[in-house]
């Protein structure tokens, strides 16, 4: 490596930009992502790449909006009719163009007389009018208007208020002063450093557990006179706000059944930047089943130069997009029923931290810090107060009871 002489700062002030980006200290979850990307807190680590907001009160509700795609579900059989009965006209306005599955005929909506009917112009394009079957789902392919047209009806997405609260996660480390003064066997890692690292791992793991399994609890006195409150985890958010995405798998799961389960998380879009990407966290059994499905429905290649065999999948692709697979250590260790899989849309998540309580560090030393009450030991604690924000629970899916893969 060629030595390069350092540059001087002519202003005498050291600016943060003088450090390489990799030298500057990072946030706690970003450090977890960098040091233990495959540890017990992968989702918490990934939140370092998600939006961070500020919670200004222990009651931290938020508003969520999800873009729903308009569609027309035919309520009858039609050939050349221009008035169609449909299941619902929610979100449908004149000027919207729909395509008929199967025939590829486009139709344009002229009026919306009622909540269950539309008048249309058939064969709106090159393809001639054809049959529309009972139950056919006509999907929107945009809108079109005449020259010098009047302003169209406005469309909007209603916001839903989601009540939520902060959780206070605390973990501590401590060693006697005798242990502090003692070196470990190798001499390059102190007992203090080891205890601190254990505390960090416990703290990140407890944060991770909240992100998945916590349920919201309004401020209340439960175990004494002091208030307690907890935030909401992703599984409970799906259970409460997108119950159709809480799925129990059958005795066996085929590729077609897996697609049916996962596609429920792609029916709405809140983040156009990753509309077709999700992350699927699963346990060992779920990972095994996904691997077996990949072997059953995928293609393999073997050659004379092959020195390994078998397959290990890190993602699956289907017509809706790409789902990245991540086996989660906590799902294996916590003891909940095997076969759990949670698909998350990371860009729709956010962490809201109370000011000054984003992994607040406190330390004591009995010889000089009164908070240690004169104890002959050293120690400290990590405290984080945060609330979760799941802007679109409908973009997530929770699958329980994965048991075995099936070929058909």
């Amino acid at each position: 490596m060629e030595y390069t002489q350092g540059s001087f700062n002519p202003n005498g002030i050291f600016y943060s930009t003088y450090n390489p980006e990799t030298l500057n200290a990072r946030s706690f979850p970003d450090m977890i992502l960098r040091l233990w990307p495959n540890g017990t807190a992968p989702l918490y680590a990934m939140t370092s790449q998600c939006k961070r907001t500020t919670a200004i009160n222990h009651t931290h509700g938020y508003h969520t909006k999800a873009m729903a795609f308009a569609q027309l579900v035919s309520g009858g059989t039609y050939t050349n009719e221009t008035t169609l009965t449909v299941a619902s006209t929610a979100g449908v306005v004149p000027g919207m163009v729909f395509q008929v599955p199967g025939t590829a005929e486009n139709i344009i909506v002229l009026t919306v007389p009622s909540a269950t009917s539309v008048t249309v112009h058939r064969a709106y394009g090159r393809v001639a009018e054809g049959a529309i079957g009972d139950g056919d789902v006509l999907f929107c392919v945009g809108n079109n208007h005449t020259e010098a047209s009047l302003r169209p009806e406005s469309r909007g997405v209603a916001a839903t208020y989601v009540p939520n609260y902060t959780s206070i996660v605390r973990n501590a480390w401590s060693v006697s002063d005798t242990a502090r003064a003692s070196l470990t066997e190798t001499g390059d890692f102190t007992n203090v450093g080891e205890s601190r690292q254990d505390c960090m791992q416990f703290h990140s793991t407890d944060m991770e557990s909240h992100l998945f399994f916590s349920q919201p609890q309004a401020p209340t006195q439960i175990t004494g006179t002091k208030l307690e409150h907890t935030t909401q985890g992703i599984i409970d958010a799906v259970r409460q706000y997108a119950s159709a995405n809480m799925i129990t798998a059958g005795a066996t799961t085929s590729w077609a059944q897996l697609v049916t389960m996962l596609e429920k998380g792609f029916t709405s879009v809140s983040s156009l930047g990753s509309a077709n990407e999700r992350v699927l966290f699963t346990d060992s059994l779920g990972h095994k089943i996904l691997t077996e499905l990949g072997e059953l429905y995928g293609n393999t290649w073997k050659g004379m130069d092959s020195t390994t065999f078998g397959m290990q999948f890190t993602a699956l692709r289907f017509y809706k997009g790409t789902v990245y697979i991540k086996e989660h250590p906590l799902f294996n260790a916590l003891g909940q029923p095997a076969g759990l899989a949670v698909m998350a849309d990371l860009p729709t998540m956010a962490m809201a931290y109370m000011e000054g309580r984003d992994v607040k560090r406190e330390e004591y030393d009995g010889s000089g810090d009164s908070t240690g009450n004169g104890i002959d030991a050293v120690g400290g604690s990590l405290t984080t107060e945060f609330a979760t924000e799941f802007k679109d629970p409908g973009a997530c899916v929770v699958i329980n009871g994965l048991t075995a893969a099936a070929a058909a």
Side-chain angles (χ1 to χ4, degrees):
M1 179 177 178
E2 182 180 354
Y3 173 77
T4 303
Q5 183 176 355
S7 59
F8 294 97
N9 173 19
N11 298 323
I13 300 176
F14 185 88
Y15 294 98
S16 59
T17 53
Y18 292 155
N19 271 346
E21 184 179 348
T22 54
L23 183 61
N24 290 324
R26 308 188 183 196
S27 67
F28 186 76
D30 191 62
M31 181 181 63
I32 299 298
L33 179 64
R34 184 163 52 94
L35 297 179
W36 300 296
N38 297 312
T40 56
L43 179 57
Y44 176 54
M46 291 178 185
T47 63
S48 65
Q49 310 302 310
C50 299
K51 182 180 178 182
R52 296 165 65 90
T53 60
T54 301
I56 60 175
N57 196 291
H58 54 58
T59 298
H60 182 78
Y62 58 94
H63 290 86
T64 178
K65 296 175 68 175
M67 179 179 175
F69 296 98
Q71 61 183 22
L72 294 173
V73 181
S74 174
T77 301
Y78 305 100
T79 51
N80 56 3
E81 292 84 351
T82 57
T83 298
L84 309 180
T85 298
V86 295
S88 172
T89 58
V92 178
V93 298
M96 296 180 70
V97 180
F98 290 84
Q99 187 167 109
V100 180
T103 67
E105 174 197 358
N106 282 356
I107 66 174
I108 186 169
V109 176
L110 301 178
T111 65
V112 184
S114 72
T116 57
S117 67
V118 292
T119 64
V120 301
H121 177 85
R122 301 290 301 271
Y124 192 70
R126 188 179 60 83
V127 178
E129 60 190 32
I132 300 177
D134 188 11
D136 280 356
V137 179
L138 283 62
F139 54 95
C140 182
V141 293
N143 71 74
N144 200 49
H145 295 271
T146 65
E147 293 185 16
S149 61
L150 296 176
R151 183 181 298 113
E153 293 183 33
S154 63
R155 301 170 64 202
V157 180
T160 301
Y161 177 72
V162 179
N164 202 12
Y165 314 93
T166 61
S167 287
I168 302 175
V169 179
R170 305 196 71 192
N171 299 87
W173 67 273
S174 63
V175 297
S176 70
D177 207 42
T178 301
R180 177 199 61 78
S182 303
L183 294 178
T184 57
E185 181 69 22
T186 60
D188 59 0
F189 196 60
T190 66
N191 290 313
V192 169
E194 186 169 354
S195 184
R196 280 176 170 161
Q197 180 168 293
D198 290 345
C199 178
M200 290 168 54
Q201 291 182 324
F202 280 121
H203 194 68
S204 62
T205 300
D206 288 341
M207 293 285 292
E208 185 83 354
S209 298
H210 273 282
L211 288 176
F212 278 104
F213 302 105
S214 185
Q215 298 177 12
Q217 171 64 59
T220 187
Q221 297 172 338
I222 297 177
T223 59
T225 59
K226 299 178 180 178
L227 290 177
E228 299 180 34
H229 36 87
T230 60
T231 196
Q232 186 169 44
I234 187 172
I235 294 177
D236 191 66
V238 174
R239 181 184 295 115
Q240 183 174 6
Y241 300 107
S243 58
N245 291 12
M246 289 288 297
I247 305 167
T248 300
T252 60
T253 299
S254 66
W255 172 255
Q257 291 170 331
L258 178 65
V259 167
T260 299
M261 291 187 283
L262 295 182
E263 67 185 357
K264 291 180 179 293
F266 289 85
T267 57
S268 63
V269 175
S270 291
S271 174
L272 295 178
S274 63
N276 62 346
E277 291 185 347
R278 303 287 189 271
V279 179
L280 181 72
F281 299 95
T282 187
D283 58 14
S284 180
L285 177 59
H287 199 180
K288 177 176 180 288
I289 292 169
L290 293 175
T291 300
E292 291 175 349
L293 287 174
E295 293 173 343
L296 288 169
Y297 293 91
N299 296 317
T300 60
W301 177 88
K302 294 180 181 178
M304 293 295 294
D305 58 344
S306 297
T307 57
T308 60
F309 67 93
M311 305 187 76
Q312 184 181 49
F313 296 97
T314 57
L316 64 89
R317 292 184 176 91
F318 68 115
Y319 78 101
K320 282 293 189 180
T322 302
V323 179
Y324 298 96
I325 303 169
K326 181 75 175 177
E327 183 172 333
H328 202 302
L330 281 187
F331 289 11
N332 294 326
L334 291 180
Q336 80 281 345
L340 172 66
V342 179
M343 187 178 75
D345 185 14
L346 297 183
T348 66
M349 295 176 51
M351 301 282 283
Y353 296 94
M354 292 285 282
E355 183 179 359
R357 295 173 69 76
D358 180 0
V359 195
K360 177 183 178 182
R361 187 181 72 179
E362 296 177 303
E363 297 189 4
Y364 65 84
D365 178 351
S367 62
D369 187 351
S370 60
T371 60
N373 296 320
I375 188 173
D376 185 25
V378 295
S381 62
L382 298 176
T383 300
T384 299
E385 185 167 3
F386 75 103
T388 56
E389 294 183 2
F390 300 110
K391 296 294 187 179
D392 188 6
C396 305
V397 172
V398 178
I399 304 173
N400 291 287
L402 287 169
T403 304

